[in-house]
Amino acid sequence: MPLDDSGALHAYGVLGIGEVRPGDDVGRVLAEALAARGTSELHDGDVVVVTQKIVSKAEGRLIPVDHADPAAKRAVVEAESVRVLRRRGDLLISETTHGFVCANAGVDLSNVEDGWAALLPVDPDRSARRIRAELRRRLSVLVGVVISDTFGRPWRQGVTDIAIGVAGVAAVVDLRGTLDAGGRELVATQVCVADELAAAAELVMGKDRGVPAAVIRGVPTGWLRDGSVREEVVRGHAADLFR
Amino acid sequence: MPLDDSGALHAYGVLGIGEVRPGDDVGRVLAEALAARGTSELHDGDVVVVTQKIVSKAEGRLIPVDHADPAAKRAVVEAESVRVLRRRGDLLISETTHGFVCANAGVDLSNVEDGWAALLPVDPDRSARRIRAELRRRLSVLVGVVISDTFGRPWRQGVTDIAIGVAGVAAVVDLRGTLDAGGRELVATQVCVADELAAAAELVMGKDRGVPAAVIRGVPTGWLRDGSVREEVVRGHAADLFR
């Protein structure tokens, strides 16, 4: 441990979350998994990062699809897309109804039962608000919530986790107008802290360990405000150079 | 603190790093800042994330440019670019000699002295290896090193920190072939952990606080191998759908 812990961040996976099924309440599932390990597990000001997968399952965002039938999979992906940007073989890069640009419209065939696909939540910011309210009701803690998903990026190999919804925590923190170390005003320094929180959480969740949630402690209190991925992160067509 | 700390991650900024000047040794600067706070500050297996800015300054990657002259700034950016992808007003999205695609070829005018611009290190993987070797020599610790920079992304507002060089830690961890929680083989799950480590570090560095390095403790030992951003992360033109 550092001698001076100020500004330090601590992240750990939430263990003990079992299979989530349609109709489950994610807030309840999280609260029970955390309570099983002692109430000190969650503090006011913590940020809870939850993977899209269990949110989609709980919200019943599952549709039947034959995993062995490429045409069936393609039809599901196209139904979730409002615009196709690129197509190569089975891979489709498209824009979803939310305005996200990602592979296969976020439709997920892994970690779901055979014969089913998981779609993105209809409104991930709203999903995050519900989880936050349920954690507050059950555990009497006021936390931030980030719903994360795994996206690829152009120009760089490897996927990273990003935020598709937030509640009680900023998606983007605007540092414009603050001074750099040399006393000059910083320009264009709007940091997408929600994506960075999702990335940090992925490091402790581990795709192969099946941990679908993490807690991050030590987030600056100034970031704990009403946030929205849809309003702060999704870039409009006019401002986008690659659409 | 969680009751069960296994798999947890801890990140903190390295305080007390002063102004870095051409000819400085970043490994020495880091070692001195860490030693001033006690030798327990750095352990075998920690990952040290260092911002590009102090690496570029130490390596003398500074060139004179009149900050008030748009044409002069543009000339510097174009000299650092091998290919221009998009141009809008003063903003240029281009490919650097390293194969990175970013705004203004990574040329940085903030946090440098007036009249100067900082260019990206010539070979950030090599820069990371040098820092790692110097930390080993001075502190007798074997750590991973990530050199980070702040990039924008298409389709999403807000910048995040990503990795431009690594040493002693994987850039991409390949989870293909491992089984998901349902026992099915995961496909296409190559995670760019170097970018996620850079993002996690940014959360504790804070652009406005001028902390240019961070330590991350708790990284899985399996990730601590020879890595390279150039070889693992930079996507070749043939595999790229957006170039």
Side-chain angles (χ1 to χ4, degrees):
Chain A
M1 299 296 294
L3 301 177
D4 175 3
D5 211 45
S6 64
L9 213 71
H10 190 75
Y12 62 94
V14 179
L15 306 180
I17 297 176
E19 186 65 26
V20 172
R21 292 187 175 78
D24 282 348
D25 182 302
V26 175
R28 179 186 60 74
V29 167
L30 287 169
E32 288 176 356
L34 288 162
R37 306 177 67 207
T39 48
S40 68
E41 287 293 304
L42 207 56
H43 297 172
D44 281 342
D46 287 349
V47 170
V48 181
V49 182
V50 188
T51 58
Q52 158 273 331
K53 185 95 52 165
I54 64 169
V55 176
S56 291
K57 283 182 180 174
E59 295 183 354
R61 293 283 290 160
L62 297 165
I63 56 162
V65 61
D66 182 354
H67 287 207
D69 180 358
K73 287 195 282 187
R74 197 159 50 234
V76 171
V77 168
E78 287 180 359
E80 289 293 301
S81 305
V82 295
R83 188 154 167 269
V84 174
L85 278 79
R86 296 285 190 283
R87 195 187 291 271
R88 183 177 291 185
D90 278 347
L91 175 68
L92 193 122
I93 310 292
S94 67
E95 182 179 330
T96 71
T97 53
H98 322 79
F100 302 136
V101 176
C102 57
N104 297 325
V107 176
D108 205 335
L109 299 168
S110 70
N111 271 313
V112 288
E113 280 182 54
D114 262 336
W116 294 87
L119 312 179
L120 292 181
V122 172
D123 182 347
D125 284 327
R126 186 180 61 192
S127 304
R129 288 195 297 272
R130 284 180 181 158
I131 293 168
R132 182 170 187 259
E134 187 65 16
L135 288 172
R136 182 178 196 174
R137 199 179 72 78
R138 288 184 173 262
L139 300 178
S140 301
V141 289
L142 213 47
V143 297
V145 172
V146 173
I147 298 178
S148 68
D149 199 2
T150 305
F151 278 17
R153 315 73 63 79
W155 316 313
R156 295 177 76 80
Q157 307 270 18
V159 295
T160 61
D161 274 16
I162 52 88
I164 61 170
V166 296
V169 61
V172 172
V173 171
D174 194 342
L175 296 177
R176 289 183 303 184
T178 61
L179 302 181
D180 70 20
R184 275 175 307 277
E185 190 174 313
L186 284 171
V187 291
T189 307
Q190 294 187 285
V191 179
C192 187
V193 294
D195 283 355
E196 295 187 328
L197 290 164
E202 202 282 326
L203 292 167
V204 296
M205 296 198 293
K207 297 253 164 301
D208 52 346
R209 287 183 283 121
V211 177
V215 174
I216 300 181
R217 186 158 299 156
V219 174
T221 52
W223 301 358
L224 301 168
R225 60 158 172 83
D226 283 343
S228 164
V229 168
R230 182 184 290 258
E231 288 171 26
E232 298 172 63
V233 182
V234 173
R235 180 174 283 164
H237 283 229
D240 202 306
L241 298 173
F242 291 90
R243 197 155 32 180
Chain B
M1 299 294 295
L3 299 178
D4 175 2
D5 210 45
S6 63
L9 213 71
H10 190 75
Y12 62 94
V14 179
L15 306 181
I17 297 176
E19 186 64 26
V20 172
R21 293 187 174 79
D24 282 348
D25 182 301
V26 174
R28 178 186 61 74
V29 167
L30 287 169
E32 288 177 356
L34 288 162
R37 305 177 67 205
T39 49
S40 68
E41 285 294 305
L42 207 56
H43 298 172
D44 281 343
D46 286 350
V47 170
V48 181
V49 181
V50 188
T51 58
Q52 158 272 331
K53 185 95 52 166
I54 64 169
V55 177
S56 292
K57 284 181 180 174
E59 295 182 355
R61 292 284 288 161
L62 298 164
I63 56 162
V65 61
D66 181 355
H67 287 209
D69 180 358
K73 288 196 281 186
R74 197 158 51 234
V76 171
V77 168
E78 287 180 359
E80 290 293 300
S81 305
V82 295
R83 188 155 166 268
V84 174
L85 279 80
R86 296 285 190 283
R87 195 188 292 270
R88 183 176 292 184
D90 278 348
L91 175 68
L92 192 121
I93 309 292
S94 67
E95 182 179 330
T96 71
T97 53
H98 322 79
F100 302 137
V101 176
C102 58
N104 297 325
V107 176
D108 205 334
L109 299 168
S110 71
N111 271 312
V112 288
E113 280 181 54
D114 262 335
W116 295 87
L119 312 179
L120 292 181
V122 171
D123 182 347
D125 285 327
R126 185 181 62 191
S127 304
R129 287 195 298 271
R130 284 179 181 159
I131 293 168
R132 182 170 187 259
E134 188 65 16
L135 288 172
R136 183 179 196 175
R137 200 179 72 77
R138 290 184 171 262
L139 302 178
S140 300
V141 290
L142 213 48
V143 298
V145 172
V146 173
I147 298 178
S148 67
D149 199 3
T150 305
F151 278 18
R153 315 74 62 78
W155 315 315
R156 295 178 76 80
Q157 307 270 18
V159 295
T160 61
D161 273 17
I162 52 87
I164 61 169
V166 296
V169 61
V172 173
V173 171
D174 193 341
L175 296 177
R176 288 183 304 184
T178 60
L179 301 181
D180 69 19
R184 275 175 306 277
E185 190 173 315
L186 285 171
V187 291
T189 308
Q190 293 187 284
V191 179
C192 187
V193 293
D195 282 356
E196 295 187 329
L197 289 165
E202 202 281 326
L203 292 167
V204 296
M205 295 197 294
K207 297 253 164 300
D208 51 346
R209 286 183 283 120
V211 177
V215 174
I216 300 182
R217 186 157 299 154
V219 173
T221 52
W223 300 358
L224 300 168
R225 60 159 172 83
D226 283 343
S228 164
V229 167
R230 183 183 289 259
E231 288 171 25
E232 299 172 62
V233 182
V234 173
R235 180 174 283 164
H237 284 228
D240 202 306
L241 299 173
F242 292 91
R243 198 154 32 177

